[in-house]
Amino acid sequence: MSERYYHGTTALSAVCIEVEGFRLLDERVRHWGRGYLGHGIYLSRSLPTARWFRLEGPYVLEVALGPGTKVLRVEGSYDPRRIRSLRREFGRGILSPDFEKAIPRNKELRPRELIDLVNWLYQSDRRRDRHGFYEGLRAIRRSVRRTGYSAFGDPESDVGIVLFDPARARLVRTLSCGPGEQDADEPVEASPARLAEDAARQLEAEARCVESASQRAEDADGEAELALRVRELARARDCLGRFRERRTRRVESSPSWPEPAGGRP
């Protein structure tokens, strides 16, 4: 059985994921923008962390990663001997956020070297209270993907991991951990009817926000972002409609108990 992860989200996003699966949204319409580890799907093994990221809604998704999904764990653990070896071979530049510039074009880091280097940069930042790790995210992400990893991060941390390819995430079930369930070890499975109601309310609120924004868009960037939000709104409305239709079909196809002999009492 594959490891299970959690993804905190809103009711409307949960409905869209139920219907379409995971997909990468444009950073301009994501609630959390670019994210600590760059653009991607954020997952955590920690349920409290996922609860924190669920914004105002009570929904957390239980997620499984597809077979063969490789996660580069960033926990600050590395082999000092390998770091010294990298410095001797490539110079001090290899230990900077722009480490790619120190590597000749005819060479590339081996997977184990990359793992140790990424963890060294992460741990070095934590020790010295710097931000070089995050400044070098583009180089780190490029190297991580080139080496065959689908995600990186610390699954148990308050950030979790970032998954580059949404097709590798599979929704297992939608959970509800709203008021009264915060301290429960295991949240309850969400009611589809309640999920649809909450998503409809969120859709109405988003529509009002988009209408208000349409009156304030003054430049090309603002108009482009507005057009993007309008498209996402239409897509979300379609997902909600399909979610309701699918739920109706399930209810209609559910077997009913036969009446007792002699009719109803």
Side-chain angles (χ1 to χ4, degrees):
M1 183 176 179
S2 62
E3 284 188 332
R4 294 296 163 86
Y5 290 81
Y6 299 100
H7 176 79
T9 192
T10 64
L12 190 56
S13 292
V15 163
C16 291
I17 291 170
E18 287 250 12
V19 173
E20 297 185 323
F22 283 92
R23 67 187 184 91
L24 287 178
L25 294 177
D26 190 286
E27 295 176 7
R28 292 170 293 178
V29 295
R30 290 183 73 243
H31 287 288
W32 297 102
R34 183 167 173 262
Y36 288 109
L37 300 177
H39 198 198
I41 306 296
Y42 280 77
L43 305 170
S44 176
R45 294 276 295 150
S46 166
L47 185 56
T49 295
R51 281 172 167 161
W52 191 86
F53 279 99
R54 62 193 166 90
L55 299 171
E56 72 280 358
Y59 299 104
V60 170
L61 308 182
E62 186 177 335
V63 181
L65 297 181
T69 302
K70 294 172 61 179
V71 179
L72 192 156
R73 299 180 72 97
V74 183
E75 303 164 311
S77 301
Y78 60 89
D79 184 346
R81 292 171 300 180
R82 190 168 285 114
I83 295 300
R84 290 194 294 269
S85 174
L86 287 173
R87 182 172 177 175
R88 284 195 300 270
E89 182 175 0
F90 299 108
R92 294 184 60 181
I94 194 68
L95 304 182
S96 72
D98 294 326
F99 65 88
E100 282 185 319
K101 296 179 180 179
I103 304 173
R105 291 184 178 181
N106 62 340
K107 289 195 174 185
E108 61 181 30
L109 298 180
R110 292 185 290 272
R112 188 64 253 180
E113 292 174 333
L114 177 64
I115 292 171
D116 281 347
L117 178 59
V118 170
N119 276 279
W120 183 89
L121 289 169
Y122 176 73
Q123 186 63 24
S124 178
D125 271 13
R126 294 182 64 184
R127 285 198 308 264
R128 304 176 187 180
D129 193 25
R130 300 187 310 184
H131 303 285
F133 177 81
Y134 298 105
E135 292 171 2
L137 268 179
R138 290 185 182 277
I140 291 172
R141 286 167 61 96
R142 279 194 298 269
S143 296
V144 167
R145 298 188 72 167
R146 193 164 53 240
T147 314
Y149 288 92
S150 303
F152 80 109
D154 183 355
E156 312 293 343
S157 74
D158 57 359
V159 174
I161 66 172
V162 60
L163 183 68
F164 307 130
D165 181 5
R168 289 197 168 272
R170 178 178 62 84
L171 175 65
V172 177
R173 56 179 178 159
T174 300
L175 306 173
S176 175
C177 53
E181 300 156 13
Q182 290 287 345
D183 299 326
D185 292 333
E186 187 70 24
V188 298
E189 191 154 359
S191 159
R194 173 68 183 277
L195 178 60
E197 291 173 4
D198 289 347
R201 281 193 291 270
Q202 185 185 344
L203 186 64
E204 292 175 3
E206 180 64 20
R208 290 193 294 270
C209 289
V210 169
E211 183 178 357
S212 176
S214 67
Q215 301 171 3
R216 300 194 306 268
E218 298 177 352
D219 55 21
D221 289 341
E223 291 177 357
E225 182 175 340
L226 177 62
L228 182 62
R229 291 181 65 182
V230 169
R231 288 197 299 271
E232 288 297 331
L233 186 65
R235 189 166 189 162
R237 186 176 287 111
D238 176 66
C239 284
L240 180 56
R242 290 160 62 190
F243 180 82
R244 283 171 165 164
E245 289 175 6
R246 188 169 63 182
R247 178 173 172 271
T248 300
R249 288 196 298 270
R250 285 177 179 173
V251 171
E252 291 175 347
S253 62
S254 297
S256 57
W257 292 103
E259 290 190 8
R264 294 182 179 275

